[in-house]
Amino acid sequence: MQAEPPMNGDAALAALQRRVRDSFARQAAMTTLGVTLGAVAPGRVSVRLVHRAALTQQHGYLHAGMLATALDSACGYAAFSLMPADAAVLTIEFKINLLAPAKGPLFRFDGMVVKPGRTISVVEGRALQFDTEGGEEKLVATMSATVMTVTGRDIRH
Amino acid sequence: MQAEPPMNGDAALAALQRRVRDSFARQAAMTTLGVTLGAVAPGRVSVRLVHRAALTQQHGYLHAGMLATALDSACGYAAFSLMPADAAVLTIEFKINLLAPAKGPLFRFDGMVVKPGRTISVVEGRALQFDTEGGEEKLVATMSATVMTVTGRDIRH
Amino acid sequence: MQAEPPMNGDAALAALQRRVRDSFARQAAMTTLGVTLGAVAPGRVSVRLVHRAALTQQHGYLHAGMLATALDSACGYAAFSLMPADAAVLTIEFKINLLAPAKGPLFRFDGMVVKPGRTISVVEGRALQFDTEGGEEKLVATMSATVMTVTGRDIRH
Amino acid sequence: MQAEPPMNGDAALAALQRRVRDSFARQAAMTTLGVTLGAVAPGRVSVRLVHRAALTQQHGYLHAGMLATALDSACGYAAFSLMPADAAVLTIEFKINLLAPAKGPLFRFDGMVVKPGRTISVVEGRALQFDTEGGEEKLVATMSATVMTVTGRDIRH
């Protein structure tokens, strides 16, 4: 690869955000579920979701798998935001703890890198629900995820 | 509650299967994703899914969250199958390890109870992919889940 | 049980700290490893350990199991500190991520309750190392734990 | 490195076992706790421990951290047994579920590789207790671990 001229802070942030948005837009599952990308900063990414019946479990709450999907996306992109421009991100594992019934109706999922690494990064996620936009937040789930930086065409583990 | 007359083995199995199918049918998220219920036996439940573009991540593989959703469902119902008839099941936490790119096109998710408990049950899940129906299986993810038996109307943790 | 007269804040904190210290003192494994109890507040407990050769893995770092043991203790007692006086605490599961070689020589392990519950509490732990007392901290491991409140003589899950 | 002449099956197994035993012998924590190495086969390693008061939690059972330590060792060496001769093994993360009070008095911890990988391997562990040597086994804990193959002097993540 040819070296790019160095970018200043604003340009670097804009490039990073564009990289995250482009990759997120290719996650068809996000469109299917209605998960949208929120704030993107180095090492921190948020995604959003609005409760709807199509995503529920048998008691009418958001299915644990939907929480996991949105949190995995937030965590993966949080790590991706710190990776080299030509790298891809691969989730190796995650654990989720479900703390309260996920009623929403508004959800925000925050991914925050705890330990960036050349090969392995560790990221934590928080799923928050809100009655109204800007209302009081309630923590409904936590995630701890391990993601891998993959370069070139190599996405084998 | 009034005591029911005891059932013989076949009737008990049929009742357990009906109970799992009725609850599964109320998980709207399963319909949305196209996850269907497979074999149901005491302590073992399988669900199925066919790969489709709407459920993918940015490289065209099944999104890790979809694997987690289907595995959580298989694990939860495996535990539910051993619970009293008036109990509900609540996932407390799960961890998933992603072992290989999830190409499918056919997936089966098996939940197997490792330790049933009055309050807490521990369940393991396996996500398998197949090229063709009855073809060779390939392990793509493992899950370890903790679920809780909830009785009455009480679904607080 | 006969109701105790209510305690004021200072007396309640002192009682809580005594309860944690008494139980911690009965964990023979802590004495064997040299783990000592640090600060105790409602929902937050710290323990400490000094690196020594007897606790190492094959490269001379603190064994991951020693980190897990100290973090589990910090997390369990953080939850225990919020439980009724006649309750016992039981770890159901924990996950640990190892972020950096654990050289120490000084370690502090913080347990912080994320979600207290009547039956199930979720706790997070941080393992920090320091070159010197009061020196810069470095995060070496994170834990996410689920613990159960057990009352009476019933310590079956 | 100079290529070694290929070994036949028996010689390869003996070399693998020697490599595991040599590394295990350098884990001082194992000696301190009394954990001993048992059977070693490609992708499967067992370690053993006898219950003793010095390793207990507040109710007299083996401390969860001791179970975690022994399981981590079994899992790590199970993965190590499949790695190149010049590689080192690094635990990235593990999760343990505690299923029953760990009374022993005899324990065996089995690590089994579920997915070997060039960089990342996934391993499962089982902690079993026995009343007597050769007696009925009881499952007391399960582990799911992610370990990394590290080559050269590079043990940064």
Side-chain angles (χ1 to χ4, degrees):
Chain A
M1 284 179 58
Q2 195 172 347
E4 304 279 344
M7 290 184 284
N8 64 30
D10 284 358
L13 179 58
L16 169 164
Q17 291 174 330
R18 198 168 47 239
R19 209 158 50 84
V20 170
R21 287 180 197 287
D22 287 353
S23 178
F24 186 87
R26 289 194 301 273
Q27 289 210 331
M30 296 299 113
T31 308
T32 301
L33 303 187
V35 178
T36 55
L37 190 60
V40 175
R44 293 185 74 101
V45 167
S46 297
V47 304
R48 290 171 177 279
L49 179 63
V50 178
H51 188 276
R52 58 185 221 268
L55 305 179
T56 54
Q57 36 84 292
Q58 69 279 19
H59 304 117
Y61 302 120
L62 196 70
H63 195 285
M66 303 299 103
L67 294 166
T69 302
L71 278 172
D72 173 50
S73 192
C75 289
Y77 283 115
F80 182 71
S81 75
L82 299 180
M83 293 178 184
D86 60 340
V89 58
L90 198 63
T91 303
I92 288 181
E93 63 81 29
F94 64 74
K95 181 199 170 198
I96 183 170
N97 269 272
L98 305 154
L99 310 180
K103 302 182 231 190
L106 307 179
F107 295 99
R108 197 183 79 221
F109 305 88
D110 298 336
M112 296 149 285
V113 175
V114 172
K115 167 66 170 62
R118 208 180 22 163
T119 308
I120 299 294
S121 297
V122 177
V123 192
E124 288 187 350
R126 294 277 186 268
L128 305 165
Q129 68 185 10
F130 304 83
D131 284 337
T132 56
E133 191 66 48
E136 199 185 350
E137 70 181 40
K138 184 178 166 64
L139 184 64
V140 291
T142 56
M143 180 171 279
S144 147
T146 307
V147 303
M148 191 162 148
T149 304
V150 180
T151 49
R153 309 179 130 242
D154 178 13
I155 64 163
R156 287 175 301 163
H157 284 207
Chain B
M1 284 179 59
Q2 195 174 344
E4 304 279 345
M7 290 183 284
N8 64 29
D10 284 359
L13 179 59
L16 170 165
Q17 290 174 331
R18 199 167 47 238
R19 208 157 53 83
V20 170
R21 286 179 198 286
D22 287 354
S23 178
F24 186 88
R26 288 195 299 274
Q27 288 208 334
M30 296 299 113
T31 308
T32 301
L33 303 186
V35 178
T36 55
L37 190 60
V40 175
R44 293 184 73 102
V45 167
S46 297
V47 304
R48 291 171 176 280
L49 179 62
V50 177
H51 188 276
R52 58 186 222 270
L55 305 179
T56 53
Q57 36 84 292
Q58 70 280 17
H59 304 117
Y61 302 120
L62 196 70
H63 195 285
M66 303 299 103
L67 294 167
T69 301
L71 278 173
D72 173 50
S73 193
C75 288
Y77 283 115
F80 182 70
S81 74
L82 300 179
M83 292 180 185
D86 61 339
V89 58
L90 199 62
T91 303
I92 289 181
E93 62 81 28
F94 63 74
K95 181 199 169 197
I96 184 170
N97 269 271
L98 304 154
L99 310 180
K103 303 181 229 188
L106 307 180
F107 295 99
R108 195 182 80 219
F109 305 89
D110 298 336
M112 298 149 285
V113 175
V114 171
K115 167 65 171 60
R118 209 179 23 164
T119 308
I120 300 295
S121 297
V122 177
V123 192
E124 289 186 350
R126 294 277 186 266
L128 305 166
Q129 68 185 11
F130 304 85
D131 283 338
T132 57
E133 190 68 46
E136 198 185 352
E137 71 182 40
K138 183 179 166 64
L139 184 65
V140 291
T142 57
M143 178 171 281
S144 146
T146 307
V147 302
M148 191 163 150
T149 304
V150 181
T151 50
R153 313 181 125 239
D154 178 13
I155 64 163
R156 287 175 300 164
H157 285 207
Chain C
M1 285 179 58
Q2 195 173 345
E4 303 279 343
M7 289 183 285
N8 64 29
D10 284 359
L13 179 58
L16 171 164
Q17 290 174 331
R18 200 168 45 237
R19 208 157 52 83
V20 170
R21 286 178 198 287
D22 286 354
S23 178
F24 186 88
R26 289 194 300 274
Q27 289 209 331
M30 296 300 112
T31 308
T32 302
L33 303 186
V35 178
T36 55
L37 190 60
V40 175
R44 292 185 73 101
V45 167
S46 298
V47 304
R48 291 172 176 280
L49 180 63
V50 178
H51 188 278
R52 59 186 220 269
L55 305 179
T56 54
Q57 37 85 291
Q58 70 279 20
H59 305 116
Y61 302 120
L62 196 68
H63 195 284
M66 303 300 102
L67 294 166
T69 302
L71 278 172
D72 173 50
S73 193
C75 288
Y77 283 115
F80 181 72
S81 75
L82 300 179
M83 292 179 185
D86 61 339
V89 58
L90 200 62
T91 302
I92 289 181
E93 62 81 29
F94 63 75
K95 181 199 169 196
I96 184 170
N97 268 272
L98 305 154
L99 310 179
K103 302 182 231 188
L106 307 179
F107 296 99
R108 195 182 80 219
F109 305 88
D110 298 335
M112 298 149 284
V113 175
V114 171
K115 167 67 170 61
R118 210 180 19 165
T119 309
I120 300 295
S121 298
V122 177
V123 192
E124 289 187 349
R126 294 277 186 269
L128 306 165
Q129 69 185 9
F130 304 84
D131 283 337
T132 56
E133 191 66 47
E136 199 184 350
E137 70 182 39
K138 183 178 168 64
L139 184 65
V140 290
T142 57
M143 178 171 282
S144 147
T146 307
V147 302
M148 191 163 149
T149 305
V150 181
T151 50
R153 310 178 129 242
D154 179 13
I155 64 163
R156 288 175 301 165
H157 285 206
Chain D
M1 285 177 58
Q2 194 172 347
E4 303 279 343
M7 290 183 284
N8 64 29
D10 284 359
L13 179 59
L16 170 164
Q17 290 174 331
R18 198 169 47 239
R19 208 159 50 85
V20 170
R21 287 180 198 286
D22 287 353
S23 178
F24 185 88
R26 288 194 300 273
Q27 289 209 333
M30 297 299 113
T31 309
T32 302
L33 304 186
V35 178
T36 54
L37 190 60
V40 175
R44 294 184 72 102
V45 167
S46 298
V47 304
R48 293 172 175 278
L49 180 62
V50 177
H51 187 277
R52 59 185 221 268
L55 305 178
T56 54
Q57 36 85 291
Q58 71 279 18
H59 305 116
Y61 301 120
L62 196 69
H63 196 284
M66 302 300 102
L67 293 166
T69 302
L71 278 172
D72 173 50
S73 192
C75 288
Y77 283 114
F80 181 71
S81 74
L82 300 178
M83 293 179 184
D86 61 338
V89 58
L90 200 61
T91 302
I92 289 181
E93 62 82 29
F94 63 75
K95 181 198 170 198
I96 183 170
N97 268 270
L98 305 155
L99 310 180
K103 300 181 232 191
L106 307 180
F107 295 98
R108 197 183 79 221
F109 305 88
D110 297 336
M112 296 151 285
V113 175
V114 171
K115 167 67 169 63
R118 207 181 21 166
T119 309
I120 300 294
S121 298
V122 177
V123 192
E124 289 187 350
R126 294 276 186 267
L128 306 165
Q129 68 185 9
F130 304 84
D131 283 338
T132 56
E133 191 65 48
E136 199 185 352
E137 69 182 40
K138 184 179 167 63
L139 184 64
V140 292
T142 57
M143 178 171 282
S144 146
T146 306
V147 303
M148 191 162 149
T149 304
V150 181
T151 49
R153 313 180 127 239
D154 179 13
I155 64 163
R156 287 175 302 162
H157 285 206

